[in-house]
Amino acid sequence: MGWLLTLLCVELFEKGHYVAAGGELSLIESVQAASNIYASVSSQVIAIITQLEEAPDIINEFPMSKGWIVKIKLLELK
């Protein structure tokens, strides 16, 4: 996410939210741009990192550890 540089805001859905494949999971806003994050599979949000609301730069500072955005559970494939 380094290309977004200084992050201003991360909008997240609540835990338990269902999203279809291709649906929006999150919105990230920076000084340069706003970018949606889409689900690649139909899923349910099972965890969010609430610290992003106060400190969105966690994503850039710790991308491989504390910088995750949402955890999802794959819904049954039909």
Side-chain angles (χ1 to χ4, degrees):
M1 298 292 304
W3 55 272
L4 287 176
L5 301 178
T6 304
L7 298 180
L8 301 175
C9 173
V10 177
E11 294 180 16
L12 301 168
F13 285 108
E14 296 293 320
K15 183 178 171 183
H17 177 77
Y18 289 92
V19 62
E24 185 179 319
L25 274 175
S26 177
L27 172 69
I28 298 178
E29 294 182 32
S30 74
V31 173
Q32 295 79 14
S35 181
N36 290 318
I37 296 179
Y38 299 99
S40 57
V41 295
S42 294
S43 53
Q44 179 184 20
V45 175
I46 59 170
I48 60 172
I49 181 166
T50 57
Q51 294 89 340
L52 291 178
E53 295 171 351
E54 298 295 322
D57 276 332
I58 291 172
I59 294 172
N60 283 337
E61 292 173 22
F62 306 101
M64 299 303 197
S65 58
K66 298 189 284 188
W68 59 274
I69 299 168
V70 299
K71 291 183 181 180
I72 59 172
K73 177 175 84 173
L74 177 67
L75 296 180
E76 184 177 331
L77 298 175
K78 296 183 181 185

